[in-house]
């Protein structure tokens, strides 16, 4: 079982926490002020988005200051008894030489606003009389259930912001050093950027993609961008295929900033599965064909003004074809076949180029033509006619692996191979 890197490499001291230097400084100064006297602000409220170090800074500073950290989160103070326990910790005086204490009430977002009416007034009451610093943490400080904490005289309110890409980059780099994982800078920068300020998710991605590798390359992480794009494509597709108005269907394309040719492939691949009334499917296909016609014209004339028509027909044109058509049940989106051939693995590409070379030798065409114009036909034959495929396989001198590739699977390939044997 591997340890989670967010736990293994969490900061043990405040100086290891990246970002929010100023906020941390203010917070630390306030904690230290308790060593002299009880300040008027008896509680600090740290707030900000998830995964940026709010919890971890309290733990790290407790460590730095040699204080005992009493940690509780929302589920712990739903009952009166639990709240009393916290109150006990807050009021029980440990004496002059006793260890310092910090009381942390984390994840306050989880406190119910109304159902747990008791919790917030009780916490407010504890804060009024506490002998030790109380730290509250939440993501959304502006939630109205926290109004009673907005009094700046009584509460030190500190906003935590997302650390910069550069800060996260440095943090990831340090982890790589500790894990003895050499990593390309641009791979780490990419992960840092993608985390969008969430250090926790950046570290999780790093572990998921890097652990066990000899070296983390840009190509190991860059496919994530594609995964993100897929979500975008899906929402555009949903709009194009199901939106009720032309405008919504068109707008989506502008908003999402997707590659038009790529989107065309996605619509083309998926359209047939999302219309169940043949006449409406035909109308949608017709719109797509018209869009394609304009695409062709742009290619010939370089008249990019026509792009507007391409977009209109492939989005609004398709969307408006739907009157009553509704697929029964949920239909998953399918990856366009025509793009799939471009995004296959290196091993597969190598196999494909070997096959291309064998076709070239026999048919005296270039490898490019072999792959583009010949292979698709071979695939159809190999998928549907084992005995003819067997003959061709012999003629091209394909080995078993290559037959499996062209036939698109082992089962079909076996039918061909047994034909060869006969
Ligand atoms: N600023 C940071 N510097 C270094 N590591 C960090 C930082 N922020 C987060 N991490 C890493 O991510 C983990 C989670 O961070 P933490 O629990 O502090 O997030 P949080 O801000 O409290 O999020 P949430 O609002 O979800 O509770 C930490 O244990 C640490 O490994
Ligand atoms: Mg937290």
């Amino acid at each position: 079982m591997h340890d989670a890197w967010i736990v293994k490499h969490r900061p043990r001291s405040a100086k290891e926490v990246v970002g929010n230097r100023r906020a941390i400084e203010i917070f630390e100064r306030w904690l230290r002020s308790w060593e002299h006297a009880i300040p008027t602000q008896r509680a600090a409220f740290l707030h900000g988005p998830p995964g940026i170090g709010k919890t971890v800074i309290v733990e790290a500073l407790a460590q730095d200051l040699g204080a005992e950290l009493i940690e509780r989160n929302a589920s712990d103070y739903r009952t009166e008894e639990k709240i009393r326990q916290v109150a006990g910790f807050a009021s029980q005086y440990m004496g002059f030489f006793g260890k310092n204490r910090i009381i942390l009430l984390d994840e306050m977002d989880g406190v119910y606003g109304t159902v747990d009416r008791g919790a917030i007034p009780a916490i407010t009451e504890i804060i009024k009389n506490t002998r030790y610093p109380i730290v509250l943490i939440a993501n959304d400080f502006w939630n109205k259930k926290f109004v009673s904490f907005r009094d700046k005289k009584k509460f030190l309110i500190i906003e935590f912001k997302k650390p910069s890409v550069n800060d996260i980059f440095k943090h990831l780099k340090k982890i790589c050093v500790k894990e003895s994982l050499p990593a390309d800078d641009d791979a780490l920068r990419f992960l840092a950027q993608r985390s969008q300020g969430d250090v926790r998710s950046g570290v999780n991605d790093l572990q998921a993609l890097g652990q066990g590798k000899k070296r983390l390359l840009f190509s190991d992480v860059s496919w994530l961008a594609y995964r993100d794009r897929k979500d975008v494509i899906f929402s555009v597709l949903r709009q194009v295929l199901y939106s009720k108005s032309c405008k919504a269907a068109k707008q989506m394309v502008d908003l999402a900033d997707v590659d038009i040719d790529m989107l065309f492939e996605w619509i083309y691949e998926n359209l047939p599965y999302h219309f169940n009334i043949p006449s409406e499917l035909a109308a949608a296909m017709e719109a797509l064909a018209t869009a394609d016609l304009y695409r062709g014209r742009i290619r010939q004339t370089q008249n990019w003004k026509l792009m507007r028509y391409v977009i209109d027909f492939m989005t609004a044109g398709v969307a408006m074809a739907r009157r009553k058509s509704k697929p029964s049940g949920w239909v998953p989106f399918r990856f366009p076949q025509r793009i799939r051939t471009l995004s296959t693995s290196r091993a597969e590409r190598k196999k494909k180029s070997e096959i291309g070379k064998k076709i070239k030798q026999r048919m005296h065409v270039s490898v490019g033509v072999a792959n583009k114009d010949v292979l698709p036909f071979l695939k159809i034959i190999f998928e549907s006619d084992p005995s003819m495929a067997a003959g061709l396989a012999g003629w091209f001198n394909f080995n078993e692996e290559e037959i499996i590739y062209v036939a698109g699977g082992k089962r079909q390939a076996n039918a061909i191979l047994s034909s060869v044997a006969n």
Side-chain angles (χ1 to χ4, degrees):
M1 182 65 195
H2 295 297
D3 286 337
W5 286 3
I6 50 162
V7 177
K8 190 173 167 193
H9 299 294
R10 75 174 179 279
R12 302 295 198 279
S13 158
K15 55 182 189 300
E16 292 168 25
V17 176
V18 299
N20 290 300
R21 285 338 299 177
R22 179 94 190 108
I24 292 171
E25 198 182 299
I26 292 169
F27 181 47
E28 179 171 357
R29 197 179 315 138
W30 174 77
L31 283 175
R32 283 186 187 281
S33 75
W34 284 78
E35 287 170 12
H36 313 295
I38 295 178
T40 46
Q41 294 167 314
R42 294 194 184 198
F45 201 126
L46 314 186
H47 66 100
I52 59 171
K54 299 182 301 298
T55 300
V56 100
I57 188 61
V58 184
E59 293 169 348
L61 278 171
Q63 190 92 359
D64 288 347
L65 304 179
E68 177 192 10
L69 184 65
I70 314 262
E71 216 170 331
R72 290 283 183 278
N73 59 30
S75 57
D76 282 339
Y77 36 81
R78 293 240 167 91
T79 62
E80 206 184 321
E81 190 204 331
K82 292 286 169 71
I83 292 177
R84 270 217 208 101
Q85 227 176 41
V86 175
F89 281 119
S91 59
Q92 198 187 85
Y93 196 45
M94 306 264 298
F96 199 70
F97 298 105
K99 206 171 177 196
N100 282 327
R101 254 180 197 166
I102 298 171
I103 297 164
L104 170 59
L105 305 184
D106 202 352
E107 299 179 3
M108 290 286 293
D109 301 274
V111 176
Y112 290 125
T114 48
V115 182
D116 272 21
R117 249 172 296 139
I120 290 193
I123 291 167
T124 315
E125 205 46 42
I126 295 170
I127 291 169
K128 238 185 241 165
N129 304 309
T130 184
R131 295 170 185 274
Y132 300 97
I134 293 183
V135 182
L136 310 171
I137 300 184
N139 294 126
D140 179 20
F141 174 66
W142 301 107
N143 190 304
K144 66 175 182 299
K145 66 188 172 198
F146 299 138
V147 278
S148 54
F149 299 133
R150 288 189 199 162
D151 183 348
K152 285 193 183 146
K153 280 200 236 68
K154 294 190 187 143
F155 298 88
L156 175 68
I157 296 151
I158 307 179
E159 182 185 0
F160 273 65
K161 300 202 169 109
K162 295 174 173 180
S164 70
V165 172
N166 206 33
D167 281 336
I168 299 176
F169 167 78
K170 279 191 258 173
H171 184 63
L172 296 181
K173 206 167 162 123
K174 227 182 262 167
I175 291 177
C176 286
V177 171
K178 286 190 196 150
E179 287 290 331
S180 313
L181 168 68
D184 287 358
D185 273 3
D186 50 1
L188 297 182
R189 200 163 289 283
F190 179 88
L191 288 180
Q193 226 146 29
R194 213 186 85 89
S195 71
Q196 300 191 339
D198 184 337
V199 187
R200 173 168 39 214
S201 78
V203 175
N204 281 337
D205 281 350
L206 177 66
Q207 181 175 17
L209 298 171
Q211 192 165 40
K213 288 223 170 64
K214 282 212 180 64
R215 184 177 185 92
L216 184 72
L217 307 171
F218 182 67
S219 56
D220 293 326
V221 301
S222 57
W223 65 275
L224 285 173
Y226 171 71
R227 192 182 68 184
D228 298 345
R229 296 298 292 171
K230 201 157 88 177
D231 293 342
V232 175
I233 287 272
F234 280 10
S235 61
V236 177
L237 262 186
R238 210 166 290 122
Q239 277 293 335
V240 168
L241 293 173
Y242 292 100
S243 78
K244 296 256 172 351
S245 80
C246 291
K247 204 168 148 213
K250 281 195 283 189
Q251 222 171 26
M252 202 54 207
V253 177
D254 295 335
L255 287 179
D257 183 31
V258 290
D259 179 70
I260 298 300
D261 288 325
M262 168 85 127
L263 180 61
F264 187 94
E265 294 298 331
W266 278 90
I267 296 174
Y268 174 73
E269 181 78 28
N270 286 282
L271 209 165
Y273 306 98
H274 294 264
F275 284 83
N276 63 342
I277 298 175
S279 61
E280 295 181 15
L281 173 59
M285 280 303 217
E286 185 72 35
L288 206 55
T290 310
D292 197 31
L293 208 68
Y294 280 110
R295 271 204 320 168
R297 234 170 260 170
I298 293 174
R299 260 190 303 257
Q300 282 158 18
T301 61
Q302 297 293 307
N303 179 3
W304 290 94
K305 281 195 196 124
L306 298 176
M307 196 45 120
R308 201 62 251 171
Y309 299 113
V310 176
I311 295 173
D312 285 0
F313 278 103
M314 70 191 252
T315 58
V318 168
M320 288 308 99
R322 186 184 305 280
R323 300 261 176 268
K324 294 202 200 78
S325 213
K326 220 185 261 156
S328 50
W330 181 74
V331 187
F333 288 133
R334 307 156 71 103
F335 193 100
Q337 281 301 325
R338 292 202 282 193
I339 300 178
R340 191 189 291 285
T341 49
L342 299 177
S343 63
T344 43
S345 70
R346 192 184 301 169
E348 222 166 310
R349 277 202 302 274
K350 189 158 172 266
K351 210 178 295 161
K352 197 173 162 186
S353 91
E354 287 300 318
I355 292 170
K357 275 185 211 151
K358 289 186 176 173
I359 297 174
K360 171 188 160 175
Q361 271 168 11
R362 275 292 187 190
M363 297 183 67
H364 307 287
V365 293
S366 72
V367 173
V369 169
N371 281 335
K372 204 159 76 19
D373 296 339
V374 181
L375 192 54
F377 289 105
L378 285 183
K379 273 182 184 294
I380 293 169
I381 296 168
F382 274 55
E383 278 164 22
S384 54
D385 189 338
S387 71
M388 191 173 173
L392 284 165
W395 189 60
F396 283 117
N397 196 19
F398 289 156
N399 62 29
E400 189 174 331
E401 235 177 274
E402 289 159 350
I403 294 174
I404 294 174
Y405 177 85
V406 181
K410 264 222 163 75
R411 195 145 55 92
Q412 186 64 15
N414 283 338
I416 297 169
L417 288 166
S418 63
S419 265
V420 175
N422 292 334

Short mmCIF file of all heavy atoms in Angstrom, two decimals, residues 5-11 16-20 24 48-59 106-107 109 137-139 160-161 163 167-168 171 175 197-201 203, ligand 1:
data_model
loop_
_atom_site.label_atom_id
_atom_site.label_comp_id
_atom_site.label_asym_id
_atom_site.label_seq_id
_atom_site.Cartn_x
_atom_site.Cartn_y
_atom_site.Cartn_z
N TRP A 5 0.76 10.98 -1.07
CA TRP A 5 1.81 12.00 -1.01
C TRP A 5 1.33 13.27 -0.32
O TRP A 5 2.13 14.01 0.24
CB TRP A 5 2.31 12.32 -2.43
CG TRP A 5 3.17 11.22 -2.97
CD1 TRP A 5 3.46 10.03 -2.36
CD2 TRP A 5 3.86 11.20 -4.23
NE1 TRP A 5 4.27 9.27 -3.17
CE2 TRP A 5 4.54 9.96 -4.31
CE3 TRP A 5 3.97 12.11 -5.29
CZ2 TRP A 5 5.31 9.61 -5.41
CZ3 TRP A 5 4.74 11.75 -6.38
CH2 TRP A 5 5.41 10.53 -6.44
N ILE A 6 0.03 13.55 -0.37
CA ILE A 6 -0.44 14.76 0.32
C ILE A 6 -0.25 14.61 1.83
O ILE A 6 -0.12 15.61 2.54
CB ILE A 6 -1.93 15.10 0.02
CG1 ILE A 6 -2.82 13.90 0.22
CG2 ILE A 6 -2.10 15.70 -1.35
CD1 ILE A 6 -4.28 14.27 0.36
N VAL A 7 -0.24 13.38 2.31
CA VAL A 7 0.00 13.16 3.74
C VAL A 7 1.50 13.07 4.00
O VAL A 7 2.05 13.76 4.86
CB VAL A 7 -0.71 11.89 4.24
CG1 VAL A 7 -0.40 11.65 5.71
CG2 VAL A 7 -2.21 12.00 4.01
N LYS A 8 2.16 12.24 3.20
CA LYS A 8 3.59 12.00 3.37
C LYS A 8 4.39 13.30 3.25
O LYS A 8 5.34 13.52 3.99
CB LYS A 8 4.03 11.03 2.29
CG LYS A 8 5.43 10.47 2.43
CD LYS A 8 5.62 9.38 1.37
CE LYS A 8 7.08 9.00 1.25
NZ LYS A 8 7.30 8.18 0.04
N HIS A 9 4.02 14.16 2.32
CA HIS A 9 4.80 15.38 2.07
C HIS A 9 4.08 16.64 2.53
O HIS A 9 4.29 17.71 1.98
CB HIS A 9 5.14 15.48 0.59
CG HIS A 9 5.96 14.32 0.10
ND1 HIS A 9 7.24 14.10 0.54
CD2 HIS A 9 5.67 13.32 -0.75
CE1 HIS A 9 7.71 13.00 -0.04
NE2 HIS A 9 6.78 12.51 -0.82
N ARG A 10 3.20 16.50 3.51
CA ARG A 10 2.54 17.73 3.96
C ARG A 10 3.53 18.55 4.79
O ARG A 10 4.41 17.99 5.44
CB ARG A 10 1.26 17.42 4.71
CG ARG A 10 1.46 16.91 6.10
CD ARG A 10 0.13 16.77 6.82
NE ARG A 10 0.37 16.25 8.15
CZ ARG A 10 0.57 14.98 8.40
NH1 ARG A 10 0.55 14.09 7.44
NH2 ARG A 10 0.80 14.57 9.64
N PRO A 11 3.41 19.85 4.74
CA PRO A 11 4.36 20.70 5.45
C PRO A 11 4.34 20.41 6.95
O PRO A 11 3.28 20.28 7.55
CB PRO A 11 3.84 22.11 5.17
CG PRO A 11 3.04 21.99 3.93
CD PRO A 11 2.44 20.63 3.96
N GLU A 16 7.33 25.69 5.17
CA GLU A 16 7.15 24.77 4.04
C GLU A 16 5.82 24.95 3.32
O GLU A 16 5.57 24.34 2.29
CB GLU A 16 7.26 23.31 4.53
CG GLU A 16 8.63 22.92 5.00
CD GLU A 16 8.64 21.59 5.74
OE1 GLU A 16 7.73 20.77 5.51
OE2 GLU A 16 9.53 21.39 6.57
N VAL A 17 4.94 25.74 3.92
CA VAL A 17 3.65 25.99 3.28
C VAL A 17 3.84 27.03 2.19
O VAL A 17 4.39 28.09 2.45
CB VAL A 17 2.61 26.49 4.31
CG1 VAL A 17 1.29 26.84 3.63
CG2 VAL A 17 2.39 25.43 5.38
N VAL A 18 3.42 26.73 0.97
CA VAL A 18 3.65 27.69 -0.11
C VAL A 18 2.47 28.65 -0.26
O VAL A 18 1.32 28.30 0.04
CB VAL A 18 3.93 26.98 -1.46
CG1 VAL A 18 5.19 26.13 -1.36
CG2 VAL A 18 2.74 26.16 -1.93
N GLY A 19 2.78 29.84 -0.71
CA GLY A 19 1.76 30.86 -0.96
C GLY A 19 1.28 31.54 0.32
O GLY A 19 1.71 31.19 1.43
N ASN A 20 0.43 32.53 0.17
CA ASN A 20 -0.20 33.22 1.31
C ASN A 20 0.76 33.69 2.40
O ASN A 20 0.45 33.61 3.60
CB ASN A 20 -1.27 32.31 1.94
CG ASN A 20 -2.47 32.15 1.02
OD1 ASN A 20 -3.13 33.12 0.68
ND2 ASN A 20 -2.72 30.93 0.58
N ILE A 24 -0.19 34.23 6.38
CA ILE A 24 0.46 33.36 7.36
C ILE A 24 1.17 34.19 8.44
O ILE A 24 1.09 33.90 9.63
CB ILE A 24 1.45 32.39 6.66
CG1 ILE A 24 0.66 31.38 5.80
CG2 ILE A 24 2.32 31.66 7.68
CD1 ILE A 24 1.51 30.52 4.90
N GLY A 48 -11.17 30.33 2.58
CA GLY A 48 -10.65 30.30 1.21
C GLY A 48 -10.97 28.97 0.56
O GLY A 48 -11.50 28.06 1.21
N PRO A 49 -10.65 28.85 -0.72
CA PRO A 49 -11.00 27.64 -1.48
C PRO A 49 -10.29 26.37 -0.98
O PRO A 49 -9.33 26.47 -0.21
CB PRO A 49 -10.57 27.96 -2.91
CG PRO A 49 -9.66 29.13 -2.82
CD PRO A 49 -9.99 29.85 -1.56
N PRO A 50 -10.76 25.21 -1.38
CA PRO A 50 -10.21 23.94 -0.91
C PRO A 50 -8.77 23.66 -1.37
O PRO A 50 -8.36 24.14 -2.43
CB PRO A 50 -11.13 22.88 -1.55
CG PRO A 50 -12.25 23.59 -2.19
CD PRO A 50 -11.89 25.02 -2.32
N GLY A 51 -8.07 22.92 -0.55
CA GLY A 51 -6.78 22.37 -0.96
C GLY A 51 -5.63 23.34 -1.04
O GLY A 51 -4.65 23.10 -1.75
N ILE A 52 -5.71 24.47 -0.31
CA ILE A 52 -4.66 25.48 -0.45
C ILE A 52 -3.80 25.63 0.80
O ILE A 52 -2.92 26.47 0.85
CB ILE A 52 -5.25 26.86 -0.84
CG1 ILE A 52 -6.24 27.33 0.22
CG2 ILE A 52 -5.92 26.77 -2.20
CD1 ILE A 52 -6.68 28.76 0.02
N GLY A 53 -4.09 24.84 1.82
CA GLY A 53 -3.22 24.85 2.99
C GLY A 53 -3.79 25.48 4.25
O GLY A 53 -3.05 25.79 5.18
N LYS A 54 -5.11 25.63 4.33
CA LYS A 54 -5.69 26.26 5.52
C LYS A 54 -5.52 25.35 6.74
O LYS A 54 -5.06 25.80 7.79
CB LYS A 54 -7.19 26.55 5.30
CG LYS A 54 -7.45 27.51 4.15
CD LYS A 54 -8.92 27.83 3.99
CE LYS A 54 -9.78 26.60 3.74
NZ LYS A 54 -9.45 25.89 2.49
N THR A 55 -5.88 24.10 6.58
CA THR A 55 -5.76 23.19 7.72
C THR A 55 -4.29 22.96 8.07
O THR A 55 -3.88 23.00 9.23
CB THR A 55 -6.44 21.84 7.40
OG1 THR A 55 -7.81 22.08 7.13
CG2 THR A 55 -6.32 20.88 8.57
N VAL A 56 -3.52 22.78 7.01
CA VAL A 56 -2.13 22.39 7.23
C VAL A 56 -1.31 23.51 7.88
O VAL A 56 -0.40 23.24 8.66
CB VAL A 56 -1.54 21.88 5.88
CG1 VAL A 56 -0.71 22.92 5.19
CG2 VAL A 56 -0.76 20.60 6.11
N ILE A 57 -1.67 24.76 7.64
CA ILE A 57 -0.90 25.85 8.26
C ILE A 57 -1.13 25.87 9.77
O ILE A 57 -0.21 26.16 10.54
CB ILE A 57 -1.22 27.23 7.63
CG1 ILE A 57 -0.26 28.31 8.15
CG2 ILE A 57 -2.64 27.69 7.89
CD1 ILE A 57 1.18 28.08 7.86
N VAL A 58 -2.33 25.53 10.20
CA VAL A 58 -2.60 25.52 11.65
C VAL A 58 -1.80 24.39 12.29
O VAL A 58 -1.17 24.58 13.34
CB VAL A 58 -4.12 25.34 11.93
CG1 VAL A 58 -4.38 25.42 13.42
CG2 VAL A 58 -4.93 26.38 11.19
N GLU A 59 -1.78 23.25 11.63
CA GLU A 59 -1.01 22.13 12.17
C GLU A 59 0.48 22.44 12.21
O GLU A 59 1.17 22.15 13.19
CB GLU A 59 -1.27 20.87 11.32
CG GLU A 59 -2.71 20.38 11.45
CD GLU A 59 -3.09 19.29 10.43
OE1 GLU A 59 -2.32 19.07 9.47
OE2 GLU A 59 -4.16 18.69 10.60
N ASP A 106 -12.42 23.00 12.54
CA ASP A 106 -12.20 22.96 11.09
C ASP A 106 -13.51 22.65 10.37
O ASP A 106 -14.46 22.16 10.98
CB ASP A 106 -11.15 21.88 10.78
CG ASP A 106 -10.46 22.12 9.44
OD1 ASP A 106 -10.88 23.02 8.69
OD2 ASP A 106 -9.49 21.39 9.15
N GLU A 107 -13.50 22.93 9.09
CA GLU A 107 -14.62 22.57 8.21
C GLU A 107 -15.98 23.03 8.74
O GLU A 107 -16.93 22.27 8.84
CB GLU A 107 -14.60 21.06 7.94
CG GLU A 107 -13.30 20.73 7.25
CD GLU A 107 -13.10 19.25 6.92
OE1 GLU A 107 -14.00 18.45 7.17
OE2 GLU A 107 -12.02 18.95 6.41
N ASP A 109 -18.03 24.79 7.32
CA ASP A 109 -19.10 24.77 6.31
C ASP A 109 -20.11 23.67 6.62
O ASP A 109 -21.27 23.76 6.25
CB ASP A 109 -18.52 24.51 4.92
CG ASP A 109 -17.50 25.55 4.52
OD1 ASP A 109 -17.90 26.59 3.99
OD2 ASP A 109 -16.30 25.32 4.76
N ILE A 137 -12.23 27.45 10.58
CA ILE A 137 -11.90 27.39 9.15
C ILE A 137 -13.15 27.04 8.35
O ILE A 137 -13.94 26.18 8.75
CB ILE A 137 -10.83 26.31 8.85
CG1 ILE A 137 -9.53 26.61 9.62
CG2 ILE A 137 -10.53 26.25 7.35
CD1 ILE A 137 -8.39 25.64 9.30
N ALA A 138 -13.34 27.74 7.24
CA ALA A 138 -14.42 27.40 6.31
C ALA A 138 -14.02 27.81 4.91
O ALA A 138 -13.11 28.62 4.72
CB ALA A 138 -15.71 28.12 6.71
N ASN A 139 -14.67 27.23 3.93
CA ASN A 139 -14.45 27.67 2.55
C ASN A 139 -15.19 28.98 2.29
O ASN A 139 -14.65 29.92 1.75
CB ASN A 139 -14.92 26.61 1.55
CG ASN A 139 -14.11 25.33 1.62
OD1 ASN A 139 -14.64 24.24 1.78
ND2 ASN A 139 -12.80 25.46 1.53
N PHE A 160 -7.46 33.25 2.79
CA PHE A 160 -6.39 32.51 2.11
C PHE A 160 -6.72 32.43 0.63
O PHE A 160 -7.85 32.10 0.27
CB PHE A 160 -6.24 31.10 2.70
CG PHE A 160 -5.31 31.06 3.87
CD1 PHE A 160 -5.64 31.75 5.03
CD2 PHE A 160 -4.11 30.38 3.82
CE1 PHE A 160 -4.79 31.73 6.13
CE2 PHE A 160 -3.24 30.37 4.91
CZ PHE A 160 -3.57 31.04 6.07
N LYS A 161 -5.72 32.76 -0.18
CA LYS A 161 -5.94 32.72 -1.63
C LYS A 161 -5.22 31.55 -2.26
O LYS A 161 -4.34 30.93 -1.64
CB LYS A 161 -5.44 34.03 -2.24
CG LYS A 161 -6.15 35.26 -1.67
CD LYS A 161 -6.04 36.43 -2.62
CE LYS A 161 -6.96 37.54 -2.19
NZ LYS A 161 -6.28 38.71 -1.65
N PRO A 163 -2.53 29.63 -4.07
CA PRO A 163 -1.11 29.89 -4.35
C PRO A 163 -0.88 29.99 -5.87
O PRO A 163 -1.66 29.44 -6.65
CB PRO A 163 -0.41 28.65 -3.79
CG PRO A 163 -1.36 28.06 -2.82
CD PRO A 163 -2.73 28.39 -3.33
N ASP A 167 4.40 28.89 -7.27
CA ASP A 167 4.51 28.30 -5.93
C ASP A 167 4.19 26.81 -5.96
O ASP A 167 4.88 26.00 -5.34
CB ASP A 167 3.52 28.99 -4.97
CG ASP A 167 4.04 30.34 -4.48
OD1 ASP A 167 5.27 30.52 -4.49
OD2 ASP A 167 3.22 31.19 -4.12
N ILE A 168 3.15 26.47 -6.68
CA ILE A 168 2.76 25.05 -6.73
C ILE A 168 3.82 24.26 -7.48
O ILE A 168 4.20 23.15 -7.08
CB ILE A 168 1.37 24.91 -7.38
CG1 ILE A 168 0.33 25.65 -6.53
CG2 ILE A 168 0.98 23.43 -7.51
CD1 ILE A 168 -1.06 25.66 -7.09
N HIS A 171 6.60 23.53 -5.18
CA HIS A 171 6.20 22.50 -4.22
C HIS A 171 6.27 21.11 -4.86
O HIS A 171 6.80 20.17 -4.26
CB HIS A 171 4.79 22.80 -3.71
CG HIS A 171 4.31 21.87 -2.64
ND1 HIS A 171 4.93 21.78 -1.41
CD2 HIS A 171 3.30 20.98 -2.62
CE1 HIS A 171 4.30 20.87 -0.67
NE2 HIS A 171 3.30 20.37 -1.39
N ILE A 175 8.75 17.79 -3.96
CA ILE A 175 8.27 16.43 -3.71
C ILE A 175 9.01 15.44 -4.62
O ILE A 175 9.41 14.35 -4.19
CB ILE A 175 6.74 16.35 -3.92
CG1 ILE A 175 6.03 17.14 -2.82
CG2 ILE A 175 6.26 14.90 -3.93
CD1 ILE A 175 4.53 17.20 -2.95
N GLY A 197 -4.66 26.26 -8.67
CA GLY A 197 -4.51 26.78 -7.31
C GLY A 197 -4.77 25.76 -6.22
O GLY A 197 -4.53 26.03 -5.06
N ASP A 198 -5.29 24.61 -6.58
CA ASP A 198 -5.58 23.58 -5.58
C ASP A 198 -4.34 22.69 -5.43
O ASP A 198 -4.10 21.80 -6.23
CB ASP A 198 -6.80 22.78 -6.06
CG ASP A 198 -7.26 21.74 -5.05
OD1 ASP A 198 -6.44 21.32 -4.21
OD2 ASP A 198 -8.44 21.35 -5.12
N VAL A 199 -3.56 22.98 -4.38
CA VAL A 199 -2.28 22.26 -4.20
C VAL A 199 -2.55 20.77 -3.99
O VAL A 199 -1.85 19.91 -4.53
CB VAL A 199 -1.50 22.81 -2.98
CG1 VAL A 199 -0.13 22.18 -2.90
CG2 VAL A 199 -1.39 24.32 -3.05
N ARG A 200 -3.58 20.49 -3.23
CA ARG A 200 -3.89 19.09 -2.95
C ARG A 200 -4.10 18.31 -4.25
O ARG A 200 -3.54 17.24 -4.43
CB ARG A 200 -5.14 18.99 -2.06
CG ARG A 200 -5.62 17.57 -1.87
CD ARG A 200 -6.67 17.43 -0.78
NE ARG A 200 -7.59 18.55 -0.79
CZ ARG A 200 -8.15 19.06 0.30
NH1 ARG A 200 -7.90 18.57 1.47
NH2 ARG A 200 -8.98 20.07 0.21
N SER A 201 -4.90 18.86 -5.16
CA SER A 201 -5.15 18.10 -6.38
C SER A 201 -3.91 18.04 -7.27
O SER A 201 -3.68 17.06 -7.96
CB SER A 201 -6.36 18.66 -7.14
OG SER A 201 -6.01 19.80 -7.84
N VAL A 203 -0.81 17.76 -6.14
CA VAL A 203 0.04 16.70 -5.58
C VAL A 203 -0.57 15.33 -5.91
O VAL A 203 0.15 14.39 -6.26
CB VAL A 203 0.21 16.88 -4.06
CG1 VAL A 203 0.97 15.71 -3.45
CG2 VAL A 203 0.91 18.20 -3.74
N1 LIG B 1 0.01 25.86 0.50
C1 LIG B 1 0.39 24.57 0.58
N2 LIG B 1 1.71 24.26 0.69
C2 LIG B 1 2.11 22.99 0.74
N3 LIG B 1 1.26 21.94 0.69
C3 LIG B 1 -0.04 22.18 0.60
C4 LIG B 1 -0.54 23.51 0.53
N4 LIG B 1 -1.87 23.46 0.41
C5 LIG B 1 -2.21 22.17 0.42
N5 LIG B 1 -1.12 21.38 0.53
C6 LIG B 1 -1.13 19.91 0.52
O1 LIG B 1 -2.48 19.50 0.37
C7 LIG B 1 -2.96 18.87 1.54
C8 LIG B 1 -4.32 19.43 1.88
O2 LIG B 1 -4.21 20.77 2.31
P1 LIG B 1 -5.17 21.37 3.41
O3 LIG B 1 -5.84 20.26 4.15
O4 LIG B 1 -4.42 22.35 4.22
O5 LIG B 1 -6.24 22.10 2.50
P2 LIG B 1 -7.41 23.07 2.98
O6 LIG B 1 -7.10 24.42 2.46
O7 LIG B 1 -7.63 22.89 4.41
O8 LIG B 1 -8.62 22.48 2.11
P3 LIG B 1 -10.14 22.23 2.55
O9 LIG B 1 -10.82 23.57 2.43
O10 LIG B 1 -10.65 21.26 1.54
O11 LIG B 1 -10.15 21.69 3.95
C9 LIG B 1 -1.92 19.13 2.59
O12 LIG B 1 -1.82 18.04 3.49
C10 LIG B 1 -0.64 19.31 1.80
O13 LIG B 1 -0.07 18.05 1.50
#
